[in-house]
Amino acid sequence: MMVVGIPRGLLFYEYYPLWRAFFQALGIAVETSGPTSRAVLDAGVSRAVDEACLPVKAYLGHCLELAERCDALFVPRVVSVERGAYTCPKLLGLPEIVGSLRTGRPLVTPVVDYTRGGSRAVDAAIACARRLGCGSVRAAWAYVRARLEYRTFTESLQVAGGWFEGAVAGRAETGTADRARPRVLVLGHVYMVNDRGINLGIREHLLRLGVRPVAPQWVARRNWTSGARALPKKLFWTYEKQLFGAAKHVVDRGECDGVIQITSFGCGPDSLVSEFVRREAERSRVPYMALTVDEHAGEAGAVTRLEAFVDMLARRLGDRET
Ligand code: SF4
């Protein structure tokens, strides 16, 4: 049986349940790389240009790790997931970036592009299946099935307040339920917030410090879309719109006591959106902290900053109660 390798990075943290269900419905085995480790990061860093952001460097490391264990690497080119907006340029050029690794494995690179009547996800799925030797009708059926499964997955995250890895593994993982504890919105791209190897274990440290972390992925699409309307101009990037809209929704409804935004050094979209979010938090008098990571970032330094932030939150909440 053919084995398709799906690297555990970037949009894996958004669409893996969809991709997995699609390939399984086609009778194609799926292999993923393991969690981001120091070795994976180092391998990616050694093969990437210096200017690349940390998630792209990590992604390259995952491709190298996985190439030995699969027949083809699945590296989609996600140009646009809605009309009138795009994803980050690094996601647009991902097949070329990975191609430069010369892993010896062919790349399966479906193109998803909703702009100007371009290739929709279902077209991309059919093209991908045909490339792997499956027929169009079977591919369309597999895609519909996978889409249903994916919708159930995303709704379950929103309803139960779970986190990606736990939900994929079928574990209920809602953190502490103690309502007296401060809630902190951990804002960032899905591949920053959910990848412990990149985010320095921010969620685990917050839980240890008695904080209830809140994920932007818990905000339903209609809510972040409505939150993003507060921007003075329409943003070109869908995922950044989602981040701002989710932060606006959570902050306006008083569903968090603080915001920690985790960004990657060298990320253009993040540098713009983080400023919008900071101003929004300031306007609502919600404490905000930005944590920027790159391959040199150390966990000890991040923990010191998290502890100081949580101390400040606890004092604020204490003052409010007295
Ligand atoms: S949005 Fe930023 S972090 Fe994400 S891939 Fe693009 S440059 Fe990297």
Side-chain angles (χ1 to χ4, degrees):
M1 187 192 276
M2 177 171 203
V3 179
V4 167
I6 305 185
R8 189 181 292 263
L10 297 175
L11 295 182
F12 170 96
Y13 289 99
E14 184 77 49
Y15 299 117
Y16 174 63
L18 174 78
W19 298 338
R20 179 181 61 180
F22 175 67
F23 287 122
Q24 282 176 347
L26 289 176
I28 294 172
V30 166
E31 184 73 38
T32 63
S33 46
T36 305
S37 61
R38 192 67 242 176
V40 165
L41 269 183
D42 287 347
V45 167
S46 72
R47 301 291 295 275
V49 293
D50 287 347
E51 294 73 25
C53 61
L54 187 60
V56 166
K57 289 174 177 168
Y59 190 85
L60 296 184
H62 281 283
C63 291
L64 291 166
E65 195 249 292
L66 191 55
E68 295 301 309
R69 294 187 279 120
C70 65
D71 301 308
L73 280 171
F74 180 72
V75 184
R77 186 193 306 283
V78 182
V79 177
S80 158
V81 290
E82 61 173 340
R83 276 177 165 262
Y86 294 85
T87 67
C88 162
K90 306 231 170 74
L91 300 180
L92 269 70
L94 203 55
E96 283 73 27
I97 299 174
V98 174
S100 71
L101 291 177
R102 301 192 192 288
T103 60
R105 292 286 175 267
L107 302 185
V108 179
T109 60
V111 179
V112 178
D113 181 1
Y114 279 70
T115 53
R116 300 192 194 106
S119 168
R120 296 169 303 144
V122 64
D123 304 321
I126 291 171
C128 170
R130 287 175 66 90
R131 162 108 166 70
L132 296 170
C134 305
S136 305
V137 174
R138 190 162 166 221
W141 166 81
Y143 179 75
V144 170
R145 221 178 122 161
R147 187 81 215 178
L148 286 175
E149 202 165 304
Y150 177 60
R151 187 196 290 177
T152 308
F153 175 84
T154 49
E155 285 175 357
S156 75
L157 273 189
Q158 288 160 9
V159 172
W163 295 79
F164 181 87
E165 291 283 0
V168 163
R171 286 194 309 269
E173 197 183 30
T174 52
T176 172
D178 184 348
R179 303 265 156 215
R181 295 183 177 207
R183 295 155 304 173
V184 169
L185 174 64
V186 182
L187 195 68
H189 289 287
V190 282
Y191 39 87
M192 306 286 295
V193 167
N194 291 293
D195 188 341
R196 198 207 179 287
I198 286 185
N199 66 28
L200 308 171
I202 182 170
R203 183 154 55 94
E204 290 75 6
H205 288 304
L206 286 175
L207 284 170
R208 182 180 54 77
L209 293 168
V211 166
R212 283 185 285 154
V214 174
Q217 288 77 40
W218 298 350
V219 179
R221 185 183 180 94
R222 64 179 178 285
N223 292 331
W224 65 252
T225 306
S226 135
R229 287 201 196 102
L231 283 165
K233 274 180 89 174
K234 214 171 146 194
L235 269 186
F236 294 124
W237 308 297
T238 297
Y239 298 126
E240 279 66 25
K241 234 177 4 179
Q242 177 177 11
L243 288 186
F244 176 84
K248 172 95 178 127
H249 178 80
V250 171
V251 166
D252 278 358
R253 289 164 57 103
E255 288 175 356
C256 71
D257 304 299
V259 177
I260 296 178
Q261 186 161 12
I262 176 148
T263 64
S264 168
F265 181 77
C267 172
D270 269 357
S271 60
L272 182 68
V273 172
S274 57
E275 180 55 23
F276 288 145
V277 175
R278 189 192 64 74
R279 288 184 197 182
E280 202 54 46
E282 200 172 89
R283 192 186 60 76
S284 303
R285 297 182 179 281
V286 171
Y288 170 91
M289 180 172 90
L291 202 58
T292 302
V293 293
D294 66 10
E295 59 270 33
H296 307 296
E299 199 160 325
V303 169
T304 307
R305 293 193 59 201
L306 289 177
E307 285 173 350
F309 188 76
V310 172
D311 271 357
M312 180 270 295
L313 277 189
R315 271 202 312 277
R316 252 180 138 242
L317 292 175
D319 288 350
R320 227 186 267 166
E321 276 163 20
T322 51

